[in-house]
């Protein structure tokens, strides 16, 4: 026990709430609890904020993923204590099939620190998102700056990117739709707007609202192209809506209309925003950090680089007492929230059944929501000349017949401070059932849009290949044609775990969505479960007036 | 800005505005005292700036500042630096006022005045405009000012055209942007600038562009307005067109010397009684032309081949250009039958206004150059039929009706009949039901189409003709009557082109305009050219009811420009009636030779006016049915 790192002792030792891990849900709850005048200790074993929601440099990124790809069993029972049982934490693997390839190590090594790679990409905000409202309400928005995503495209297997006609002006400008299609689409938008505004004579019937959205679109006589735009590029649906067999999530008209309403409310919410979507400067990791700063202002205590080793449980009633830090210090609190990577294995063979068994569904925590395949690519050329920040959606079956889910790709350029000048970071994601399927989805997009240098090498032997790869890259970009060449890529499959609210709580992992709305919903419920009598960021909590509390949008 | 609901003022707002009013009044009083005493001290000028900042609509204050600027500029010690600083100050004041109200006419005008002095950075003006456009891209004052700035800095029309496109892409419901586009394109086409040589290509591209707007949102009117402009550009021929002549080309005219011979029953349109031995030949063009003469027009008739005809423009404004030209052919009274041929001559002579050899006769086959116009219209027709198949759209129907009429008119010479008039009539009937608030407009259009349909050919016309066997006015009139029921021509007199058409009816002798809601004598202007007119009925109109004839401001009558030259100071009083009260009537009637006039039922028709008429019209025998002694 003598070779423990010199962790500083924490004082006081008793809190209302201890939060371990600075992922977004944990950070929001920490800020909300601090705002509600709870004493909160927020710990993170990592030296950075954000955990599974962080944005990392090119060197930190692989080590973070690798460290969460393995499961660790707890070391033998730590020192006991006369008042409580000490249960050592184990970690479970959250990422699998991690595959990192570098084709230009020298170039990237030089700039490694200039990258802010989102672990949970692709992510954007709709301007009218709940998460935006939450940032405004909580005051977290003052620590963030955003920029507009310039465009949304629908991709096809030929590598074409079609503008999504998502507004009146965009329909007018669109070059791919015929005059009749423009008329049909605009009339559909007007119908939806009229319905939402409660205009007289425009009302979508209750029967239609309860029917599948795709049936309603068919009923409106919309051609397949327009249906694709609406379902996958505006409502951002994941599963193939026209194949009931594989569709796990058939969107109802009611929910489809809500999605359109969100999109519609987003376009033009902020005068500086070009479209519906915005992205935070320096990456998504800023978001968790903003809530942490908010929490700190409200009195939350922060300690980074502080691993926790064990859970302290009351010997008699099995109730949670506190945690043991890597420093050996024991800290106590009424409530605990854990990073999703932690599990608490129960002592084996304890009989009669340990009283904890009933109280620890944590150990069996697994959910059937499948996985999300994520891919990150770095290139030196934009996929689309003249614009750097945009979203591309590949609807189901658009790339290959067995593609059952939408694949989304977000390109972010250096003007969002996520990479060095003249480079671009591409985030790809798709829901999948298993690793092979996920990888296939990612590869299909990469092959459509990018030139992948022939010698695929993992990090280990990439150095040898680098020179040839770099020269071939130069040759191609000089030719000025064809697809951008891949400089670096990371592909991984992430587990989708739900949050858990029991007598100790486990925060959820990033979901497969494009925005944070579902996560915010879960987090609000989380908070309400823990603090039934407290208001989640009461209005008055913000000392900033409406005028100061806007969203900072750079143009 | 647009789409902002008006809110009822709260009590505290009202109190605040009362305080503001009080402050403003005090400022204003002080300001007027400076102004009247021509005080241009620093303090006085600053006060005017303060006033304008609160109320940019104060025109007097802007004027005062102009005087103050002139005052300072004329100081002996003024130098380029001081001039610049004075003018820069003015620009600042304007900018502050515009911040208060960016649609203030006075402020924009003042800015124009300052910038016209030529000491200010015009680039700065463009940047300022960008800011205003950002705040409201539909601010027409800003667009107006932009045209001024673009012109002063010699910005190319191409660049400005690109700018309108950018603005339209941002939001296509922007009347100002579309309008500016039409202005710029007209200039570019006229200049034959590079890339704008072919009107055909330019217009077809613009059609394509406007379709995107119209189809995306047919409820937005700005696009339709631009489409109407395009349609107008498509229809408008570059060279004038002879629309019709009387007598028609190659027609036979009966000239019975004896009125008792009722030959007119058989050929009602080509029978002419003339006591004077003069036979009018009328040419009617689609636009004003100059230089019609015996060397440019050849007339061959059965009895006269060599005589040099004297062509006169029938222009209400007495200019040398007119849509209607007339010449009188002398004929021996013994001759009964004559055939007339009218040709457009192939003269090589250049004629100042428009070369007559460009004239295309109606009977000639369509020149190839105008094929694209017909094709463009045909394409538009298909396009809008398709739109209407998708949705019910009033303005779409109206546009289709206009397109069909234009197409019919363009192809009339080939088809020699109106192909689509039935469909157009149906569209207008439909619109009357669909859009009752514009019923009258559709009814008028419907009537015009009906009238055109009836008069398009002899056959259709004869169907509506009746004979009066016991005609009361048989002494002067031909006993044939054209009867058209259920017509509404209320707009005929508010549009000057329709008014002008009447002067072409050189043989008209009896005209009834009873119950036509005519508001003034000005509307009757073209009648001055009708030398054969003997009987006129203008009873039960609204002449004299309105002190100001509002229709005159919609389309100013040519009369209003010509009065000055004709006004003879000696004629200001006729008898004891002051001419000044009836000058409009005087100018109409002094040139007419009426025998019979009905004016009852008009506000103006009192005893004074009647005695005035008797004096102005010495030939008058009956006034309101009463024989004059």
């Amino acid at each position: 026990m003598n070779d423990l790192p010199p962790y500083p002792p924490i004082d006081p030792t008793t809190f209302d709430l201890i939060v371990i891990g600075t992922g977004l849900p944990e950070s929001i709850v920490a800020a909300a609890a601090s705002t509600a005048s709870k004493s909160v200790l927020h710990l993170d074993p990592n030296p950075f904020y954000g955990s599974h929601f962080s944005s990392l440099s090119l060197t930190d990124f692989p080590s973070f993923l690798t460290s969460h790809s393995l499961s660790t069993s707890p070391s033998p029972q730590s020192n006991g204590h006369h008042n409580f049982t000490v249960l050592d934490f184990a970690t479970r693997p959250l990422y699998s099939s991690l595959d990192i390839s570098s084709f230009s190590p020298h170039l990237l090594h030089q700039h490694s620190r200039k990258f802010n790679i989102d672990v949970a990409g692709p992510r954007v905000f709709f301007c009218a998102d709940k998460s935006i409202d939450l940032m405004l309400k909580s005051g977290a928005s003052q620590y963030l700056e955003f920029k507009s995503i310039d465009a949304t495209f629908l991709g096809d297997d030929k590598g074409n990117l079609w503008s999504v006609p998502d507004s009146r002006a965009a329909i007018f400008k669109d070059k791919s739709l015929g005059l009749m299609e423009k008329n049909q689409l605009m009339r559909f938008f007007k119908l939806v707007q009229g319905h939402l505004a409660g205009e007289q004579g425009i009302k979508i019937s209750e029967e239609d609202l309860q029917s599948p959205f795709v049936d309603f679109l068919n009923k409106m006589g919309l051609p397949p192209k327009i249906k694709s735009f609406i379902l996958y590029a505006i409502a951002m649906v994941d599963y193939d809506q026209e194949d009931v067999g594989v569709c796990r999530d058939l969107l109802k008209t009611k929910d489809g209309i809500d999605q359109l309403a969100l999109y519609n409310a987003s376009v033009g919410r902020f005068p500086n925003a070009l479209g519906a979507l915005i992205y935070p400067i320096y990456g998504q990791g800023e978001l968790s950090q903003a809530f942490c700063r908010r929490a700190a202002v409200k009195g939350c205590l922060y300690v980074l680089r502080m691993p926790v080793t064990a859970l302290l449980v009351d010997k008699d009633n099995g109730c949670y007492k506190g945690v043991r830090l890597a420093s050996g210090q024991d800290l106590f609190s009424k409530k605990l929230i854990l990073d999703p990577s932690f599990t608490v294995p129960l002592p084996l063979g304890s009989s009669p059944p340990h009283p904890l068994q009933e109280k620890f569904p944590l150990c069996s925590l697994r959910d059937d929501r499948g996985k999300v395949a994520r891919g990150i690519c770095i290139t030196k050329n934009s996929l689309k000349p003249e614009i750097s920040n945009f979203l591309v959606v590949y609807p189901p079956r658009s790339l290959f017949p067995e593609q059952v889910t939408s694949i989304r790709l977000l390109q972010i350029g250096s003007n969002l401070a996520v990479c060095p000048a003249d480079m671009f970071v591409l985030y790809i994601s798709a829901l999948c059932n298993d690793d092979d399927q996920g990888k296939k989805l990612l590869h299909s997009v990469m092959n459509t849009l990018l030139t992948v240098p022939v010698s695929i090498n993992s990090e280990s032997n990439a150095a040898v290949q680098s020179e040839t790869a770099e020269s071939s890259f130069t040759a191609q970009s000089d030719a000025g044609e064809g697809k951008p060449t891949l400089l670096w890529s990371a592909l991984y499959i992430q587990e989708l775990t739900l949050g858990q609210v029991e007598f100790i709580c486990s925060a959820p992992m990033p979901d497969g969505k494009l925005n944070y709305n579902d996560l915010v919903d879960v987090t609000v419920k989380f908070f309400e479960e823990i603090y039934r009598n407290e208001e989640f960021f009461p209005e008055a909590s913000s000392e900033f007036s409406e005028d100061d509390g806007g969203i900072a949008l750079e143009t | 800005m647009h789409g902002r609901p008006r809110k009822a003022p709260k009590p505290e707002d009202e109190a605040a505005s009362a305080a503001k009013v009080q402050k403003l009044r005090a400022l204003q009083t002080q300001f007027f005292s400076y102004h009247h005493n021509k005080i241009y001290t620093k303090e006085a000028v600053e006060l005017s700036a303060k006033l304008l900042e609160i109320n940019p609509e104060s025109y007097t204050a802007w004027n005062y500042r102009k005087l103050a600027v002139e005052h300072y500029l004329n100081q002996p010690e003024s130098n380029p630096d001081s001039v610049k600083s004075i003018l820069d100050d003015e620009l600042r004041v304007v900018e502050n006022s515009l911040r208060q109200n960016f649609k203030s006419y006075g402020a924009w005008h003042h800015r124009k005045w300052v910038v016209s002095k030529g000491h200010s950075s015009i680039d700065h003006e463009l940047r300022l405009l960008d800011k205003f456009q950002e705040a409201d891209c539909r601010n027409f004052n800003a667009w107006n000012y932009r045209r001024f700035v673009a012109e002063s800095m010699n910005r190319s029309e191409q660049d400005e055209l690109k700018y309108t496109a950018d603005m339209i892409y941002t939001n296509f419901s922007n009347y100002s942007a579309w309008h500016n586009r039409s202005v710029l394109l007209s200039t570019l086409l006229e200049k034959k600038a590079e890339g704008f040589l072919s009107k055909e290509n330019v217009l077809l591209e613009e059609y394509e562009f406007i379709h995107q707007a119209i189809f995306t949102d047919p409820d937005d009117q700005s696009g339709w307005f631009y489409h109407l402009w395009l349609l107008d550009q498509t229809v408008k021929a570059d060279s004038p067109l002879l629309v019709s002549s009387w007598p028609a080309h190659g027609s036979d005219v009966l000239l019975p010397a004896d009125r008792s011979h009722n030959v007119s029953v058989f050929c009602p349109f080509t029978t002419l009684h003339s006591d004077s031995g003069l036979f009018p030949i009328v040419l009617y063009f689609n636009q004003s032309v100059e230089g019609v003469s015996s060397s440019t027009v050849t007339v061959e008739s059965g009895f006269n081949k060599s005589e040099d005809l004297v062509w006169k423009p029938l222009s209400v404004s007495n200019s040398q250009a007119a849509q209607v030209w007339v010449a009188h052919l002398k004929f021996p009274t013994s001759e009964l039958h004559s055939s007339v041929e009218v040709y457009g001559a192939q003269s090589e002579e250049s004629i100042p206004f428009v070369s007559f050899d460009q004239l295309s006769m109606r009977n000639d086959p369509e020149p190839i150059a105008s094929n694209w116009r017909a094709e463009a219209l045909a394409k538009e027709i298909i396009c809008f039929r398709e739109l209407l198949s998708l949705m019910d759209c009033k303005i779409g129907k109206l546009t289709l009706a206009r397109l069909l009429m234009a197409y019919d008119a363009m192809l009339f010479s080939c088809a020699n009949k109106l192909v689509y008039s039935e469909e157009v009539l149906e569209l207008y009937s439909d619109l009357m039901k669909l859009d009752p608030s514009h019923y009258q407009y559709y009814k008028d259009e419907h009537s015009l189409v009906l009238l055109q349909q009836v008069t398009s050919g002899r056959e259709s016309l004869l169907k509506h003709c009746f004979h009066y066997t016991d005609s009361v006015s048989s002494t002067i009139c031909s006993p044939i009557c054209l009867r058209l029921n259920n017509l509404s021509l209320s707009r005929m007199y508010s549009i000057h082109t329709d008014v002008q058409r009447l002067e072409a009816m050189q043989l008209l002798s009896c005209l009834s305009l009873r119950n036509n809601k005519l508001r003034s004598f000005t509307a009757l202007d073209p009648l001055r050219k009708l030398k054969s007119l003997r009987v006129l009925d203008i009873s039960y109109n609204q002449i004299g009811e309105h002190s100001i004839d509002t229709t005159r401001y919609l389309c100013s009558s040519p009369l209003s420009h010509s009065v000055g030259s004709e006004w003879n100071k000696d004629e200001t009083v006729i008898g004891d009636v002051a001419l000044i009260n009836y000058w409009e009537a005087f100018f109409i009637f002094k040139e007419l030779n009426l025998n019979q006039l009905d004016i009852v039922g008009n506000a103006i028709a009192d005893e004074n006016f009647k005695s005035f008429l008797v004096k102005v019209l010495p030939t008058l025998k009956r006034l309101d049915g009463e024989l004059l002694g």
Side-chain angles (χ1 to χ4, degrees), chain A residues 114-419:
Chain A
K114 287 187 182 159
F115 283 96
N116 289 305
I117 304 286
D118 296 343
V119 176
R123 288 270 169 191
V124 291
F125 294 84
F126 288 84
C127 291
D129 263 347
K130 279 179 204 153
S131 50
I132 298 277
D133 295 336
L134 176 61
M135 281 186 260
L136 289 169
K137 201 175 161 194
S138 64
S141 59
Q142 59 189 304
Y143 308 114
L144 292 161
E145 261 189 288
F146 294 86
K147 263 190 183 167
S148 247
I149 295 298
D150 304 316
T152 308
F153 300 100
L154 204 71
D156 66 16
D157 55 349
K158 312 244 170 7
N160 297 315
L161 302 179
W162 303 98
S163 279
V164 174
D166 54 2
S167 67
R168 192 167 171 270
I171 295 173
F172 170 68
K173 230 189 222 179
D174 190 88
K175 300 253 192 294
S176 67
L177 293 175
L179 290 176
M180 298 301 141
E181 291 174 321
K182 288 188 172 195
N183 187 263
Q184 282 177 302
L185 181 55
M186 190 62 211
R187 268 190 301 148
F188 178 74
F189 281 170
K190 277 193 175 178
L191 170 73
V192 173
Q193 277 160 19
H195 170 80
L196 290 166
E199 262 171 53
Q200 269 203 322
I202 304 172
K203 187 92 193 139
I204 299 167
S205 73
E206 196 52 40
E207 192 193 336
D208 281 335
L209 288 175
Q210 295 305 329
S211 69
F213 194 35
V214 66
D215 290 353
F216 182 64
L217 298 180
N218 285 329
K219 191 178 160 188
M220 294 288 111
L222 297 174
K225 185 159 55 169
I226 290 181
K227 276 192 294 184
S228 269
F229 281 137
I230 294 174
L231 286 170
Y232 305 109
I234 295 178
M236 305 290 176
V237 178
D238 283 304
Y239 287 97
D240 190 344
Q241 300 293 302
E242 303 198 65
D243 186 343
V244 187
V246 296
C247 181
R248 292 211 197 169
D249 189 10
L250 192 62
L251 190 71
K252 274 188 187 170
T253 303
K254 187 167 70 71
D255 301 321
I257 301 279
D258 285 345
Q259 284 296 312
L260 293 187
L262 171 67
Y263 202 98
N264 187 44
S266 295
V267 176
R269 176 174 184 187
F270 303 117
N272 285 350
L274 298 167
L277 310 176
I278 53 176
Y279 184 92
I281 298 176
Y282 302 111
Q284 296 288 349
E286 292 295 295
L287 195 57
S288 304
Q289 203 168 330
F291 278 99
C292 290
R293 290 177 72 171
R294 198 66 209 140
V297 167
K298 294 290 180 184
C300 176
L301 186 61
Y302 274 86
V303 184
L304 294 186
R305 294 187 186 85
M306 179 60 85
V308 285
T309 57
L311 193 68
L312 309 177
V313 182
D314 191 294
K315 259 186 181 149
D316 303 326
N317 56 16
C319 281
Y320 161 76
K321 287 305 259 187
V323 290
R324 174 162 296 168
L325 306 183
S327 63
Q329 191 180 11
D330 289 340
L331 296 173
F332 303 96
S333 67
K334 298 189 186 90
K335 305 280 181 183
L336 174 72
I337 295 172
L338 280 176
D339 187 277
S341 50
F342 289 106
T343 57
V344 186
L346 287 176
L348 285 170
S350 56
S351 63
H354 200 276
L356 287 175
Q357 210 115 49
E358 293 135 44
K359 294 186 174 171
F360 274 97
L362 268 178
C363 345
S364 57
L365 193 135
R366 256 290 172 268
D367 81 282
D368 57 350
R369 290 204 308 168
K371 305 174 179 214
V372 55
R374 298 193 195 275
I376 298 162
C377 301
I378 296 171
T379 63
K380 274 206 95 169
N381 295 84
S382 172
L383 293 174
K384 190 102 180 159
E386 285 167 28
I387 50 174
S388 61
N389 308 318
F390 57 85
L391 178 74
V392 184
V393 178
Y394 288 93
R397 280 180 290 121
S398 63
L399 288 176
F400 58 100
E402 300 81 35
Q403 179 200 346
V404 293
T405 55
S406 294
I407 308 172
R408 287 186 282 264
L409 179 147
L410 179 69
Q411 178 182 290
I412 299 291
S414 58
N415 64 353
L416 276 161
V418 299
C419 59

Side-chain angles (χ1 to χ4, degrees), chain A residues 404-533:
Chain A
V404 293
T405 55
S406 294
I407 308 172
R408 287 186 282 264
L409 179 147
L410 179 69
Q411 178 182 290
I412 299 291
S414 58
N415 64 353
L416 276 161
V418 299
C419 59
D422 302 322
M423 286 202 198
F424 298 89
V425 183
L426 277 52
Y427 296 100
I428 311 167
S429 79
L431 297 182
C432 59
N433 295 321
D434 55 60
D435 291 20
D436 290 345
Q437 190 190 34
K439 283 292 178 70
K440 192 176 175 194
L441 290 164
L442 298 176
H443 283 301
S444 68
V445 176
M446 289 167 65
N447 292 335
T448 307
L449 292 175
L450 300 168
T451 304
V452 182
V454 202
S455 46
I456 295 277
N457 293 290
S458 61
E459 190 78 273
S460 50
N461 61 351
V464 191
Q465 301 288 337
S466 64
E467 223 156 291
T468 45
E470 263 172 273
S471 56
S472 76
F473 160 72
T474 331
Q476 288 211 5
S477 70
D478 279 351
E481 53 175 7
K483 315 168 195 172
T485 305
L486 186 63
L487 299 181
W488 183 91
S489 70
L491 310 183
Y492 51 102
I493 311 294
Q494 182 216 302
E495 300 291 328
L496 288 171
T497 66
L498 290 160
Q500 188 82 18
V501 189
E502 293 300 326
F503 86 135
I504 54 167
C505 309
S506 176
M509 280 294 280
D511 60 14
K513 302 278 192 217
L514 192 60
N515 62 1
Y516 292 107
N517 273 10
D518 290 357
L519 275 166
V520 167
D521 283 344
V522 170
T523 307
V524 173
K525 275 205 197 103
F526 228 84
F527 178 82
E528 284 166 353
E529 284 287 324
I530 301 170
Y531 294 114
R532 283 171 197 275
N533 300 320

Side-chain angles (χ1 to χ4, degrees), chain B residues 7-26 28 54-55 100:
Chain B
K7 278 186 230 147
K10 290 182 210 145
E12 59 263 34
D13 294 342
E14 268 170 33
S17 81
K20 216 172 132 188
V21 166
Q22 204 154 25
K23 195 182 154 205
L24 193 64
R25 287 236 171 90
Q28 224 149 10
I54 304 170
N55 177 21
Q100 175 70 26

